[in-house]
Amino acid sequence: MSIREQKELPVYFFTGFLEAGKTKFIKESLADPKFNEGEKTLLILCEEGIEEYEPEAEYMANVTIECFDEAEQLTEERLRARALRSGAERIVVEYNGMWDLGAFFEAMPAEWTVYQLMFFADATTILNY
């Protein structure tokens, strides 16, 4: 299939520092019927924080979670394969704020289009970083 024939996939990108509220914001977004109308969603996790996702939650019914522990694991082939396997209609990425952002964009398949990019920081700890 050529790139022209491939369906565009919207990407919602959440990055920032550890414990800044990314997971909580994503969970609230997925629970919001204005954002989640049941689309098949691939949730790519690039870090583990204190807050966790509850796969049994109603809003997670059409969400497939894929974890990447190292930036080197992010390749176009792996990202595309995960999206195809999940049947994703959109992608949500929780990105490690300490990883090079350019690495993800270089690996991102051509049919993926960034719809939103949000950066999170906790004002009480950002100066530590």
Side-chain angles (χ1 to χ4, degrees):
M1 178 183 312
S2 74
I3 290 176
R4 250 185 230 175
E5 297 170 316
Q6 294 173 343
K7 182 181 175 188
E8 178 181 277
L9 284 174
V11 178
Y12 299 89
F13 207 87
F14 302 84
T15 189
F17 296 113
L18 193 62
E19 298 183 37
K22 295 181 300 293
T23 303
K24 183 177 182 185
F25 188 86
I26 292 169
K27 288 168 57 174
E28 290 172 356
S29 296
L30 290 172
D32 186 341
K34 293 177 186 172
F35 179 75
N36 190 357
E37 296 177 344
E39 300 92 338
K40 289 186 178 182
T41 302
L42 173 59
L43 174 57
I44 296 175
L45 304 179
C46 298
E47 70 179 14
E48 283 188 49
I50 293 172
E51 183 126 5
E52 295 185 11
Y53 293 93
E54 301 88 17
E56 69 283 350
E58 184 178 332
Y59 62 85
M60 295 290 286
N62 290 320
V63 177
T64 301
I65 298 174
E66 292 286 346
C67 299
F68 291 87
D69 298 322
E70 300 174 8
E72 294 75 29
Q73 294 175 328
L74 297 168
T75 65
E76 182 176 352
E77 295 78 23
R78 284 185 178 136
L79 293 171
R80 182 175 284 122
R82 303 287 194 305
L84 288 171
R85 185 171 53 224
S86 70
E89 298 172 277
R90 66 177 174 188
I91 313 292
V92 173
V93 180
E94 184 173 348
Y95 199 70
N96 186 326
M98 302 304 284
W99 291 2
D100 176 17
L101 196 56
F104 188 91
F105 291 131
E106 288 175 16
M108 200 169 79
E111 64 276 10
W112 291 20
T113 302
V114 175
Y115 273 35
Q116 287 184 318
L117 188 147
M118 292 176 234
F119 174 82
F120 291 78
D122 179 342
T124 63
T125 61
I126 193 166
L127 294 179
N128 296 332
Y129 292 102

